[in-house]
Amino acid sequence: MVKITCKNGFLIENKLLFGFETADPKYINLALEPGADMRYDKLAYALIDYPGEYDIQWIGIECFLGANNKLNYVLTISDKKIGIIQSADVLDIDEVGEVKVRLYQDDKIANKIDQMELEWEKQKLTTETE
């Protein structure tokens, strides 16, 4: 189980902020969709908004562009390999298939994970208490 709290988005393992309303300089900010251009040196905080591989604060981050212009992530935090899946089409990518926990918001993603019979855990990102 991945530690997630709702705070201006989804705070993952108290290190990464996904789905934020406003970026927070205390965390590594993970965008929902690509930004206008690569602008790392122009910001005073960590923001991933472009596909690629990153190593920030000892966290490995792989970002993939999926259908409908959605960013998907594979995060390596300590010994945990976590996927944030917004697009079902990225589930076919080898790196995405190797995660131990898949985080998702849309139930269609969960259905696709089940249909593909992918192993390991899946966890829904929700602002509601279930």
Side-chain angles (χ1 to χ4, degrees), residues 33 35 61 75 102 105 108 111 113 116:
E33 297 180 347
I61 303 168
L75 313 170
R102 291 175 183 85
Q105 289 180 283
K108 291 177 186 174
N111 294 339
I113 291 168
M116 293 176 71

Side-chain angles (χ1 to χ4, degrees), residues 12 22 39 42 44 53 57 64 67 80 86 94 99 109:
I12 301 166
T22 54
R39 56 181 176 220
K42 301 173 190 171
E53 292 184 30
Q57 300 169 15
F64 303 93
K80 293 182 185 178
Q86 293 196 95
D94 288 342
V99 300
I109 300 296

Side-chain angles (χ1 to χ4, degrees), residues 52-100:
E53 292 184 30
Y54 305 85
D55 188 359
I56 302 172
Q57 300 169 15
W58 303 102
I59 298 172
I61 303 168
E62 294 176 83
C63 180
F64 303 93
L65 183 63
N68 299 318
N69 211 33
K70 297 293 183 188
L71 293 176
N72 301 267
Y73 299 91
V74 172
L75 313 170
T76 305
I77 304 172
S78 300
D79 293 334
K80 293 182 185 178
K81 203 152 190 167
I82 303 164
I84 301 175
I85 312 300
Q86 293 196 95
S87 310
D89 60 319
V90 301
L91 291 169
D92 291 325
I93 298 172
D94 288 342
E95 293 85 353
V96 177
E98 295 172 358
V99 300
K100 302 294 183 209

Side-chain angles (χ1 to χ4, degrees), residues 91-92 96-97 102 112-121:
L91 291 169
D92 291 325
V96 177
R102 291 175 183 85
K112 184 68 174 179
I113 291 168
D114 291 342
Q115 178 187 11
M116 293 176 71
E117 297 180 355
L118 297 175
E119 294 182 19
W120 309 108
E121 183 182 340

